[in-house]
Structures are given as C-alpha cells and as structure tokens.
Amino acid sequence: MYVSFLLFSVYIQYFSVFSLLMVLLVGAFAVNVSVATDILTLLINFMKVLIPAFFLAVGASCGISASLGMYEIALISIMAVEYLVISFVIPAVSVYVIILILNNVLEEDYLSKFAGVIETLIEWAIKMIPTVAVGINLIASIVLPSVDYAKSRGYRKLFSLIPGIGGSVDSFVEIVTGSSTLIKNCIGGTALVFIIILVMVPVVKLLVTCLMYKITAAIIQPISDKRVTSSVEVMAKGTNMLYKIVLSCGLMFFLTIGIVCLGTGR
C-alpha cells in the first residue's frame, strides 16, 4: 500500500511539473504568434496606404486598364492575408501546436493523425495563397499593359494627324508618361525596401527562436522524458510554420509590387 501511494505521489508530481512546463511552452508560443500577427497587420496597413498613390502613378504611366486591373488584384491579395492568413491559417497553427502538446500529455497516441491533417492544410495554404496571387499578377502584367499601349498608340496616331498641334500633343504625352514612370518606379522601389526592412526583423526573430527550440530539444533528449522533448520539438515546428507564413506573405507583397513595376515599364 505504501509503495502504491508513493508511486502515485511521484506520478502526480511528475504530471504537475510536466503540465507547468506545457503551460510555459504554450505561453512562449503565444508570443511568437503575436509577432507573426503584428507584422502581417503592419504589412497590410502599409499596403493599404501605398496602393492608391502607387497605382495612380501606374495609371498615369501605363494606362487606366492596367492600373485598375492590378489595383483590384492587389486588394484581393491584401484581403487574402487579412481574412485567410490572419483569421484562419495562424489560428490553425496554434490549434496544431495545442493538439500535439495535448497528445504528449496523454499516455497513448490519440491525436497525431488529426494534427497531421491540420499540418497538411496549413502547408497547402502557405504555398497556395502566394502562388495564386503572384500568378494572377504576372498574367495581368503581361496582358493589361499591352491593351493600354495599343489604345494610347492609336490615340497618339490620331492626334498626330491634326495640323499644328499633333507634334506638341505627342511630346506632351511623352513627358507626362516618362515623369509618371519615374514616380511609379521611385514609389515601388521605396516600397520594396520598406517591405524588406519590415519583414527582416520578425523573420530573423522567428528563425532564431526555432533554432533555440531545436537546440534545447537536442540537449535535453538524453536526460529528459521523451514527451518533454517531443513537446519542445512541437514548439520548433509551430515556430517554423509561423516563419514560413510571414516570409511567404512578405514575398507575395514584394513580388506584387515588383511585377507591377516591371510589367508596366516603358
């Protein structure tokens, strides 16, 4: 009886310490989630401020069709990050981490397959959302500027037939187009640098945190319970997912602006 009571006491103490460790790990992961959410929110607000002035310059340098079409695509990209990534994908990462930690608390493996399904969906979302947005932007940058160029060329040919003012109109259009292209490229280049600066710090922070989790798991593996080691590895996986989300969204906005600048160049 005494031995049974002693074993039960040891188990209770172990479970209490293990639960406290899990709470600490979840709290640390919540900080990483906050870092990813804050930087994505900042990127969204930056793009919302940028795109009206940027696509106004695009319209002046290239044409209204390209400007409106790419403006709508940029808005769709922002909405995808705001309503899909922040509202669904990042919470799914948190659910994935909590499920695996709960699975480690249990003695039997009950939830790993369910967590695997969530992981697959997250990986698909990370790859699909930026790929679709950049692909649509690339197609639009090929088609829409050609339509505007054909229209402007026709108008300029028509005005050139007017005696006296034809040459002046053509020169004026060239000056306006060249100046607008310069303004557009300056805005786009500044935006690209700003996006790099914004994304670089949280990405490095998440990478370092992920590396620290992996090093910690490697150090404690010989001396700790396998469930503790597995829980630390789960933190590394979750942080790595957050890093991929932030990097892919930042890359999506970066390529969107870069494609517009190159596709509407003269």
Side-chain angles (χ1 to χ4, degrees), residues 179-202:
S179 301
S180 301
T181 301
L182 178 62
I183 294 172
K184 175 205 67 179
N185 290 336
C186 289
I187 295 174
T190 304
L192 294 179
V193 173
F194 196 73
I195 289 175
I196 292 174
I197 294 173
L198 279 179
V199 174
M200 182 173 60
V201 175

Side-chain angles (χ1 to χ4, degrees), residues 125-160:
I126 292 174
K127 296 175 182 178
M128 184 176 63
I129 293 175
T131 302
V132 172
V134 172
I136 295 175
N137 236 311
L138 187 60
I139 295 173
S141 68
I142 295 174
V143 176
L144 296 179
S146 301
V147 175
D148 283 323
Y149 180 73
K151 290 181 180 179
S152 64
R153 186 175 178 84
Y155 292 146
R156 289 165 66 178
K157 287 290 185 181
L158 181 62
F159 279 112
S160 66

Side-chain angles (χ1 to χ4, degrees), residues 35-187:
V35 170
T37 304
D38 290 344
I39 186 57
L40 290 181
T41 303
L42 185 59
L43 275 175
I44 289 170
N45 293 333
F46 170 70
M47 291 296 293
K48 286 181 178 178
V49 173
L50 169 71
I51 59 174
F54 179 62
F55 283 101
L56 183 63
V58 171
S61 65
C62 182
I64 192 66
S65 298
S67 178
L68 289 177
M70 295 182 179
Y71 179 78
E72 292 175 355
I73 295 171
L75 287 179
I76 293 173
S77 301
I78 292 173
M79 292 175 62
V81 175
E82 186 172 8
Y83 295 107
L84 292 179
V85 177
I86 294 180
S87 299
F88 292 100
V89 179
I90 291 182
V93 175
S94 300
V95 172
Y96 167 79
V97 169
I98 293 173
I99 287 176
L100 284 181
I101 288 181
L102 180 60
N103 189 63
N104 290 331
V105 173
L106 302 174
E107 293 185 357
E108 299 292 334
D109 185 7
Y110 293 111
L111 302 173
S112 61
K113 299 301 181 182
F114 181 57
V117 174
I118 297 177
E119 181 181 9
T120 301
L121 294 176
I122 292 171
E123 293 291 341
W124 284 356
I126 292 174
K127 296 175 182 178
M128 184 176 63
I129 293 175
T131 302
V132 172
V134 172
I136 295 175
N137 236 311
L138 187 60
I139 295 173
S141 68
I142 295 174
V143 176
L144 296 179
S146 301
V147 175
D148 283 323
Y149 180 73
K151 290 181 180 179
S152 64
R153 186 175 178 84
Y155 292 146
R156 289 165 66 178
K157 287 290 185 181
L158 181 62
F159 279 112
S160 66
L161 298 177
I162 302 176
I165 65 171
S168 300
V169 171
D170 191 64
S171 299
F172 177 76
V173 171
E174 286 290 340
I175 293 173
V176 172
T177 302
S179 301
S180 301
T181 301
L182 178 62
I183 294 172
K184 175 205 67 179
N185 290 336
C186 289
I187 295 174

Side-chain angles (χ1 to χ4, degrees), residues 217-236:
I219 292 174
I220 68 174
Q221 185 178 17
I223 59 175
S224 178
D225 185 83
K226 64 179 182 179
R227 291 186 290 178
V228 176
T229 305
S230 178
S231 298
V232 177
E233 289 178 347
V234 168
M235 294 296 106

